[in-house]
């Protein structure tokens, strides 16, 4: 399957979860915690795999570099809002406004990605390449999900680094005892 179709499928899942989240009442703490965990489990593996597979491929091509960097920035923004939302429970802060901001940020990113980024990628990569990216994306997501917060943060940093500098960080991520 082409990477674009896989990404769109994930986008729909996350949008559905975000819609559920913002429609919850303050009293429904168990459902809120569950949905936030589901969003994390969908969004973080999606973002890391997408960065590694699609954005890094686009970043290597000068005409698409800015689009890829914009995607990284929007991933970082959404992840910061998600982490804030997770931590708000500890300080008993109003979570609803942050949930709305997260929903808006993710929906904005999806709109730009499915428009500008997919359009540029379709011009840069033939279908066989997009299919290979889809396979790599699907393979990487479960690995990222197993990684935990620290490893996923290292992956985010490695995804934004030049390839030659990212290799040692990726090696550390996969073999921290070495």
């Amino acid at each position: 399957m082409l990477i674009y179709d896989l990404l769109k499928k994930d986008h729909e899942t996350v949008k559905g979860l975000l819609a559920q989240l913002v429609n919850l009442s303050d009293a429904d703490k168990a459902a809120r915690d569950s949905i936030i965990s589901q969003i994390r489990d969908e969004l973080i593996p999606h973002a890391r795999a997408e960065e590694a597979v699609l954005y890094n491929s686009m970043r290597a091509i000068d005409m698409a570099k800015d689009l890829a960097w914009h995607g990284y920035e929007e991933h970082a923004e959404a992840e910061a809002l998600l982490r804030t939302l997770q931590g708000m429970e500890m300080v008993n802060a109003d979570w609803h406004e942050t949930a709305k901001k997260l929903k808006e940020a993710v929906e904005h990113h999806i709109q730009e990605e499915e428009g500008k980024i997919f359009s540029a990628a379709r011009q840069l990569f033939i279908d066989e390449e997009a299919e290979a990216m889809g396979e790599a994306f699907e393979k990487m997501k479960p690995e990222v999900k197993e990684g935990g917060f620290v490893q996923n943060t290292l992956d985010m940093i490695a995804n934004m680094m030049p390839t030659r500098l990212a290799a040692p960080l990726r090696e550390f991520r996969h073999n921290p005892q070495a």
Side-chain angles (χ1 to χ4, degrees), residues 38-174:
Q38 290 175 60
I39 292 169
R40 179 202 61 222
D41 289 348
E42 291 291 329
L43 195 62
I44 302 301
H46 171 95
R48 291 300 88 79
E50 179 179 56
E51 291 162 1
V53 174
L54 180 62
Y55 289 2
N56 282 348
S57 296
M58 292 179 72
R59 195 175 78 175
I61 301 167
D62 279 341
M63 68 180 256
K65 194 177 292 190
D66 290 342
L67 283 173
W69 280 115
H70 186 71
Y72 287 119
E73 290 168 2
E74 289 185 344
H75 280 186
E77 176 189 6
E79 191 167 335
L81 287 166
L82 175 62
R83 299 302 183 189
T84 300
L85 192 57
Q86 290 175 297
M88 291 183 105
E89 187 62 38
M90 290 183 248
V91 293
N92 203 20
D94 178 21
W95 62 273
H96 213 219
E97 193 60 36
T98 302
K100 287 179 187 177
K101 287 179 185 177
L102 175 61
K103 182 178 182 290
E104 290 168 9
V106 169
E107 287 176 349
H108 167 81
H109 173 69
I110 289 170
Q111 181 182 11
E112 282 192 349
E113 186 170 270
E114 290 182 2
K116 293 177 188 176
I117 292 178
F118 284 11
S119 177
R122 282 187 166 99
Q123 292 177 12
L124 298 170
F125 308 113
I126 61 173
D127 283 351
E128 288 81 4
E129 292 169 316
E131 191 166 326
M133 287 181 196
E135 290 173 16
F137 172 79
E138 283 293 284
K139 181 180 179 211
M140 187 175 285
K141 280 182 14 180
E143 295 171 9
V144 173
K145 189 174 179 179
E146 292 173 10
F149 179 76
V150 172
Q151 288 184 338
N152 289 326
T153 301
L154 289 173
D155 283 343
M156 179 174 61
I157 293 166
N159 283 341
M160 292 187 278
M161 295 174 76
T163 305
R164 65 182 167 69
L165 299 176
L169 188 57
R170 289 188 195 285
E171 176 60 32
F172 174 76
R173 186 246 191 261
H174 294 288

